[in-house]
């Protein structure tokens, strides 16, 4: 355990929450993907597929950590897990928020062309993503990182108002 703490630069026991939470989220995503891929054929096959998908996603995540560790400016390695958790929660939340909002303003698949509907759905999702990214970043104690990330993203969209330049 000391080796794990040293590798992830964990100084306090409460910081272990983020690797544990990350593993649980990765396991849940693996199970959901396996259930979609294999279907409800057999629980045993779903569990085997979950384990395979989990190991692949874990390798991809650790590879991403190594690549992004040099690019993102964070104080400790364990904070990368926290940042990944914020991105995953924000992405999922923006999708879940977008659909009811579109229904609230009267936009459905039934009363609009499919291409126009999905374009609007993506635009609404991106709008909520911007707000939710800052909110969840603040909630997880990474406001400064996500505010800088948001300013960079908005400048790429052509909105220079928030940029430092």
């Amino acid at each position: 355990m000391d080796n794990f703490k040293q590798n992830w630069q964990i100084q306090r026991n409460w910081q272990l929450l983020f690797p544990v939470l990350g593993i649980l989220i990765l396991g849940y995503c693996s199970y959901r993907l396996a259930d979609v891929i294999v279907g409800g054929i057999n629980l045993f096959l779903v569990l085997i597929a979950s384990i395979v998908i989990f190991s692949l996603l874990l390798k991809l995540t650790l590879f991403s950590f190594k690549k992004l560790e040099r690019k993102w400016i964070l104080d400790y390695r364990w904070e990368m897990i926290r940042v990944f958790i914020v991105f995953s929660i924000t992405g999922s939340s923006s999708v879940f928020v977008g659909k009811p909002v579109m229904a609230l303003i009267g936009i459905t698949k039934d009363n609009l062309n499919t291409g126009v509907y999905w374009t609007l759905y993506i635009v609404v999702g991106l709008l909520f993503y911007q707000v939710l990214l800052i909110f969840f970043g603040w909630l997880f104690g990474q406001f400064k990182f996500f505010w800088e990330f948001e300013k960079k993203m908005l400048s790429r969209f052509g909105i220079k108002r928030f940029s430092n330049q």
Side-chain angles (χ1 to χ4, degrees), residues 10 12-22 81 85:
I10 294 174
R12 295 186 169 56
N13 285 337
W14 68 266
Q15 295 166 342
L16 285 169
L17 171 71
F18 295 105
V20 169
L21 192 57
I81 299 169
I85 290 171

Side-chain angles (χ1 to χ4, degrees), residues 31-47 49-50:
Y31 174 77
R32 293 297 303 246
L33 281 171
D35 193 38
V36 167
I37 293 169
V38 175
I41 298 172
N42 185 340
L43 180 61
F44 181 72
L45 288 175
V46 172
L47 292 176
S50 297

Side-chain angles (χ1 to χ4, degrees), residues 49-117:
S50 297
I51 292 168
V52 171
I53 292 171
F54 178 83
S55 65
L56 292 173
L57 287 177
L58 183 61
K59 287 181 183 183
L60 177 67
T61 304
L62 293 174
F63 174 76
S64 299
F65 281 179
K66 286 181 183 176
K67 292 292 182 185
L68 292 171
E69 189 173 25
R70 290 178 241 126
K71 186 176 182 180
W72 291 348
I73 300 168
L74 296 166
D75 295 331
Y76 304 104
R77 250 188 226 129
W78 65 268
E79 290 180 311
M80 298 234 1
I81 299 169
R82 189 161 59 171
V83 167
F84 269 57
I85 290 171
V86 169
F87 278 125
S88 66
I89 291 172
T90 302
S92 301
S93 299
S94 67
V95 170
F96 288 125
V97 169
K99 199 169 203 171
V101 166
M102 288 186 55
L104 184 68
I105 58 177
I107 299 173
T108 64
K109 291 179 196 175
D110 299 332
N111 65 3
L112 207 56
N113 180 318
T114 305
V116 175
Y117 173 82

